[in-house]
């Protein structure tokens, strides 16, 4: 099972996330302080079934990662998600 972390800005320095599987929301949280905090919190809520997660920021999927990578490289994954979304926004303007 591969879940999706949908991360959205909620205001200045606030982010919300939803974890879903095949379009069905599993759980969510709001008002976190960074994209990385969302990834860490979302990873912490996963049970034993998921083997990985797609990370989507502002609707742009930056990648699919195994659980070990989510836990060990959350800072780099957050930066990658932000950079990927910014790059896509730049070329679609």
């Amino acid at each position: 099972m591969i879940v999706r972390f949908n991360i959205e800005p909620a205001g200045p320095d606030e982010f919300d996330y939803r974890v879903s599987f095949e379009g069905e929301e599993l759980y969510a949280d709001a008002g976190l302080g960074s994209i990385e905090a969302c990834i860490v919190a979302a990873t912490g809520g996963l049970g034993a079934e998921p083997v990985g997660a797609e990370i989507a920021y502002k609707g742009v999927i930056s990648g699919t990662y195994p659980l070990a990578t989510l836990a060990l490289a959350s800072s780099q994954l957050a930066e990658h998600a932000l950079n990927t979304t910014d790059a896509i926004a730049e070329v679609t303007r």
Side-chain angles (χ1 to χ4, degrees):
M1 165 195 251
I2 297 176
V3 297
R4 179 177 291 173
F5 297 173
N6 296 294
I7 303 169
E8 296 290 333
D13 299 321
E14 280 196 11
F15 300 84
D16 300 345
Y17 76 86
R18 292 182 347 266
V19 176
S20 61
F21 178 68
E22 295 184 347
E24 183 178 326
E25 186 174 305
L26 302 176
Y27 57 95
D29 201 358
L32 283 85
S34 67
I35 297 170
E36 181 181 6
C38 291
I39 293 170
V40 170
T43 302
L46 295 174
E49 269 189 80
V51 295
E54 295 177 336
I55 296 178
Y57 177 61
K58 293 184 178 180
V60 176
I61 297 171
S62 60
T64 304
Y65 307 97
L67 289 183
T69 302
L70 293 168
L72 296 173
S74 59
S75 176
Q76 294 90 340
L77 297 177
E79 186 175 339
H80 181 67
L82 178 61
N83 291 339
T84 301
T85 299
D86 287 348
I88 296 295
E90 195 62 33
V91 297
T92 58
R93 287 184 188 164

